Amino acid sequence: AQKVTQAQTEISVVEKEDVTLDCVYETRDTTYYLFWYKQPPSGELVFLIRRNSFDEQNEISGRYSWNFQKSTSSFNFTITASQVVDSAVYFCALSEATAAGNKLTFGGGTRVLVKP
Amino acid sequence: ETGVTQTPRHLVMGMTNKKSLKCEQHLGHNAMYWYKQSAKKPLELMFVYNFKEQTENNSVPSRFSPECPNSSHLFLHLHTLQPEDSALYLCASSQVGRDTFQETQYFGPGTRLLVL
């Protein structure tokens, strides 16, 4: 069975500090996809990134960057120079291909609080 | 309207009531999903519809009854719910193709349900 672990339940930082969110996953599949979603207080899950298991290149998008390490089954997410608007719950998810469609297994989420 | 919309955004119901949650996706996708997010558990997949056919029922009690009349609309009919069913119910959609596990699911804002 697939599993995603986000060990940090809550992180509090002061604006402009960097924050790194950990994500560790378990799967027996050789091909899979990993995702990060952001859930602001409004409730909607906002898609941030999708990463294929064969692509271990780190990715940067503005203040966001992702570090995928297949050897340690980790897909960590860093917010550089955090801002108050980054306050949200962040979820890491792992996909499982089924005939029904993409079945996502989510981690428990990490709440990030950025203080001014 | 763009993306995935859900109505109502908030719902309070008694245990003997019958209500329905509505989800509509404007992304041209062919798969839709219901998730439950409660305070004590990670995001749980409830139902998957692929091309209007229900392809997954994740051991959900029969007091939750989904309906997918077409690929753009998804309903969740609720009856005789329990207080422990109070949660945020999220709808998502994706485009199912040959490689199902790579599809990104896009989420609506959710319906926050309180059962008294």
Side-chain angles (χ1 to χ4, degrees):
Chain A
Q2 304 203 118
K3 186 178 178 181
V4 177
T5 302
Q6 295 180 251
Q8 307 143 307
T9 53
E10 185 165 325
I11 301 176
S12 183
V13 297
V14 176
E15 208 169 17
K16 298 186 182 176
E17 287 183 344
D18 297 348
V19 56
T20 295
L21 311 180
D22 299 332
C23 172
V24 174
Y25 62 91
E26 296 175 26
T27 180
R28 292 185 179 178
D29 293 342
T30 54
T31 303
Y32 50 88
Y33 278 75
L34 293 158
F35 301 79
W36 275 96
Y37 285 87
K38 173 183 179 181
Q39 188 176 38
S42 59
E44 180 177 357
L45 278 166
V46 178
F47 165 69
L48 295 179
I49 189 171
R50 179 185 75 191
R51 177 46 55 90
N52 143 4
S53 55
F54 293 110
D55 181 3
E56 289 196 64
Q57 275 193 327
N58 289 336
E59 182 154 343
I60 297 175
S61 176
R63 296 184 297 105
Y64 295 167
S65 61
W66 290 270
N67 183 343
F68 177 32
Q69 298 278 345
K70 201 168 181 178
S71 59
T72 56
S73 298
S74 66
F75 186 40
N76 297 337
F77 172 34
T78 297
I79 304 171
T80 304
S82 60
Q83 299 176 2
V84 173
V85 292
D86 296 325
S87 297
V89 181
Y90 292 85
F91 291 92
C92 180
L94 172 66
S95 68
E96 176 183 7
T98 71
N102 184 357
K103 185 175 178 180
L104 290 178
T105 300
F106 283 88
T110 298
R111 183 179 300 277
V112 173
L113 178 60
V114 181
K115 300 176 183 176
Chain B
E1 294 275 16
T2 57
V4 181
T5 58
Q6 290 186 244
T7 54
R9 294 295 307 278
H10 300 272
L11 179 62
V12 179
M13 59 188 288
M15 289 191 284
T16 57
N17 291 159
K18 289 185 180 181
K19 296 285 184 185
S20 296
L21 309 185
K22 179 184 176 183
C23 175
E24 185 173 359
Q25 59 95 1
H26 309 269
L27 300 169
H29 290 163
N30 56 16
M32 297 186 77
Y33 310 78
W34 278 117
Y35 287 85
K36 177 183 178 182
Q37 185 180 28
S38 56
K40 298 180 180 178
K41 292 185 179 181
L43 272 153
E44 302 173 82
L45 178 65
M46 300 174 73
F47 301 104
V48 180
Y49 274 83
N50 185 343
F51 294 102
K52 301 184 297 177
E53 299 288 329
Q54 186 185 130
T55 50
E56 181 122 4
N57 175 339
N58 213 20
S59 303
V60 180
S62 59
R63 57 186 184 269
F64 295 91
S65 174
E67 178 190 0
C68 188
N70 55 60
S71 58
S72 300
H73 294 85
L74 184 65
F75 295 89
L76 189 62
H77 303 300
L78 316 171
H79 62 98
T80 59
L81 292 192
Q82 304 298 311
E84 60 264 29
D85 297 321
S86 298
L88 179 67
Y89 289 85
L90 290 158
C91 173
S93 71
S94 72
Q95 182 63 25
V96 174
R98 189 182 64 178
D99 296 325
T100 58
F101 51 86
Q102 69 172 300
E103 296 118 22
T104 299
Q105 290 183 23
Y106 293 90
F107 286 79
T111 295
R112 200 165 292 279
L113 174 67
L114 177 61
V115 181
L116 300 176

